[in-house]
Amino acid sequence: MTRGLQRARGSLALSGLWLCALLLGSLGLAGCGQGGVKLSPTQHSNLLQLVMKAQQAQLHTPHLGQRAVHVYAHVASTGAHHFATLEQVATDGHGGYALQPLSVSGELPTDPATFLAQHADNAAFYHRFRDFMVRDLDLFIENYLVLGLPVSTTVAGRACITFECKRAPSHLATVGGVFTVSLDVETAFVLAYEERDKHGNVVAAMNYETIDYAADLSGITFSTVPVEQVLNLSGDPSQQLGFQPLLPKMLPSGYKLDHARMLSEGPQKHWACFEYTDGVEKLFFLHGGSAPKTQVGPGGWTRSLFQTSSPYRMYVTTAGSWTIAQGVWDNQYVVAVGKLPQSELLPFVESALP
Amino acid sequence: MPHDPTSTACRAWREASFDDASFDVEGARGSTALHGHGATCAECQSWWERQRRIARALRSVARFAAPQELDRRTQPDELTEVCTRAVLDHLSVLHAPSVLDRLVREEIEGQPGTTVRRFANDLERHTAPAALDARVRQVGSAAGAAGETQAADERAGARGMERGAGRGASRARAIATPAHSARTRRAWWIAASSALAAGLLGVWTYSALDGAPRYRFEVVEIDAAQLREQSPFGFGLANGLTGGALLAQATPANGPADAEGRR
């Protein structure tokens, strides 16, 4: 008890120091106006250190907590739809995770039971890709601006620093909006974030209601991210895939290749999966060779979609800030998904084609 | 003494014998070519018979016609094209001088003024009618009487309409040119400039409206519901990234369905 109190006092003192240092260090931001400034080691050393620590902290810091995840779908014909999921989330600090939906509320697209089941199926995806995360510090510093002054807040009883960031003005074509992020001053854990699109509409939000960094995790069954077969791009990836993968040559502004993986759905049925990031956002390009894809995803590819249509056709779907392109190029299956406008995603896809 | 085949007489007789008609006649013997030097020179007689044998052997060789494609390719036009291409292929690539870049840039940046100026400069120049010329001279003379020399006014008046130089000529033109002519010319300029500006504006508008990107594939836009129905894989991937927002977009008709599914 005494030790716990001392730890709490130490933590409080550390948090206070952090707050003072951050607020003092951020005074330089006062004159930066509404346009925002890039994080610089000289001007924002404390915030920069916190962001640096936050990189990947979400995946590797052991913790147990409950959080509410809000999703907003803005449909032109019917207006905004909102639903929220209460999740229990835990990580063991070694790559293991446990993500369990507890309840849902709001305007659900399906019945609650089905929705919760789908949520459980997508847990791995949500854990890695759904929430705000600084995925590449260099790119984040290069591509993002910090807006205004960081402020001190409290989330789930933890002292936080909350700041706003958005893509730099040189990338206005990108449709991403503004993130408001709350970082735990002590652990740099992202305890809350909110994303608004370019029109100011909230499109996603998450906030921890409870969090415990020293919880007893012994009773929790952790999953691990599926073993990935890293594509050897410097060698001959066709030996892994059975075909020479198409690789985009013209990337959207600010993006870089983050991971190259092979996804398998059976013998001789592989996908080359290239994952790009601009520091925060994700962009995927998948090439499935010419083998018909029948087992990936819940229902697999609908062959008639591609077989009966043009051999050079791309189907494009726009959902909020997201654009999904999929199709065939001379019997080569390709998919691209990213938070980019069509005018940026399609040249990206086209640059991969032979 | 061996006969010298390179002697002048032998060489002259052999060269002349090629022109002998009997050389081309199969089986001709005792040709007239064997008269003269050939009748007395054994070496040349032997040479003569050897040449006839060679000629007979060559005549017996079957002829092959050239392929028609070859004939077609050796047509003058084709040859010209091939030669031109070959020459061009061997030419070294030369870069335009940088001044050209600057001139082109200025031309583009100065639109539409530069086009209007060029258009105006290309207009045909009309010479003044003879009657007008005479009036100019007359007025020029009057001006000379007022204090300037007659010779200077005549010279200036003569070139006044063409060059507009000389004080006397300027005055003369100002007096002699009818006012409505100047107005007409000004109106014509304005009309031409306006037409050009309108044309350029039209071209620019057309280019801007037709600025849709061109891809090497056909683009078909489908909504979230169609995506879900047609390609569950692409839909699942995007739905996972959007945290389920795509599913909400794909089934807007089902919502709202407020629910509490607490486990």
Side-chain angles (χ1 to χ4, degrees), chain A residues 71 74 102 104-107 109 112 116 118 125-126 129 284 286 296 300 302 305 310 312-317 319-320 322 324 326 329 337 342 346-347 350 353-354, chain B residues 215-224 227 229-233 237-238 240-249 251-252 254-263:
Chain A
V71 174
H74 298 273
L102 301 176
V104 289
S105 62
E107 302 169 274
L116 290 172
Q118 288 179 347
F125 223 78
Y126 290 165
F129 301 118
F284 289 86
L286 293 92
V296 172
T302 306
L305 171 67
S310 162
Y312 307 102
R313 179 174 285 184
M314 214 56 68
Y315 291 87
V316 181
T317 304
W322 292 86
I324 304 108
Q326 48 162 355
W329 170 266
V337 183
Q342 183 176 318
L346 291 184
E350 189 177 42
L353 302 178
Chain B
Y215 301 111
R216 288 187 287 151
F217 42 74
E218 181 188 0
V219 176
V220 180
E221 297 197 22
I222 57 177
D223 60 25
L227 175 67
E229 181 185 344
Q230 293 184 333
S231 177
F233 173 66
L237 182 67
L241 285 169
T242 59
L246 198 62
L247 182 62
Q249 287 211 351
T251 53
N254 293 344
D258 291 346
E260 287 293 335
R262 191 170 294 277
R263 287 184 173 178

Side-chain angles (χ1 to χ4, degrees), chain B residues 41-73:
Chain B
C41 177
E43 289 289 336
C44 285
Q45 286 175 12
S46 172
W47 175 86
W48 171 251
E49 289 303 324
R50 198 164 56 248
Q51 297 306 316
R52 285 170 62 86
R53 283 198 299 276
I54 293 171
R56 277 198 299 276
L58 289 175
R59 283 193 196 97
S60 66
V61 174
R63 279 178 174 272
F64 289 96
Q68 290 184 345
E69 175 65 14
L70 189 60
D71 287 343
R72 192 188 64 75
R73 286 186 150 203

Side-chain angles (χ1 to χ4, degrees), chain A residues 167-183:
Chain A
R167 278 292 297 260
S170 58
H171 311 296
L172 282 178
T174 304
V175 294
V178 177
F179 290 98
T180 305
V181 184
S182 297
L183 297 177

Side-chain angles (χ1 to χ4, degrees), chain B residues 55-165:
Chain B
R56 277 198 299 276
L58 289 175
R59 283 193 196 97
S60 66
V61 174
R63 279 178 174 272
F64 289 96
Q68 290 184 345
E69 175 65 14
L70 189 60
D71 287 343
R72 192 188 64 75
R73 286 186 150 203
T74 52
Q75 292 298 313
D77 291 348
E78 296 282 340
L79 277 176
T80 305
E81 186 183 334
V82 169
C83 291
T84 305
R85 200 181 308 128
V87 169
L88 288 176
D89 286 346
H90 285 83
L91 284 176
S92 58
V93 177
L94 296 176
H95 296 285
S98 57
V99 67
L100 282 182
D101 288 338
R102 181 178 61 78
L103 291 173
V104 170
R105 191 171 60 249
E106 288 174 0
E107 179 78 9
I108 293 170
E109 289 173 351
Q111 293 292 353
T114 50
T115 304
V116 171
R117 267 199 302 278
R118 194 175 338 102
F119 175 77
N121 288 335
D122 288 345
L123 287 175
E124 185 185 354
R125 283 181 175 274
H126 291 279
T127 53
L132 187 61
D133 203 28
R135 288 185 65 187
V136 168
R137 280 204 189 89
Q138 188 182 353
V139 174
S141 300
E148 297 181 20
T149 64
Q150 180 73 23
D153 279 345
E154 279 188 356
R155 282 198 301 274
R159 60 175 187 260
M161 287 306 294
E162 287 292 327
R163 300 179 188 172

Side-chain angles (χ1 to χ4, degrees), chain A residues 116-132:
Chain A
L116 290 172
Q118 288 179 347
H119 187 285
D121 289 341
N122 287 330
F125 223 78
Y126 290 165
H127 175 62
R128 296 179 61 201
F129 301 118
R130 183 191 59 190
D131 299 321
F132 176 90

Side-chain angles (χ1 to χ4, degrees), chain A residues 226-234 236-237 240-241 258-263 271 273-274:
Chain A
V227 176
E228 296 168 345
Q229 293 179 270
V230 176
L231 269 184
N232 181 17
L233 293 181
S234 58
D236 183 8
Q240 294 172 269
L241 294 163
D258 194 24
H259 288 101
R261 297 177 285 138
M262 182 178 76
L263 305 179
W271 287 87
C273 176
F274 300 106

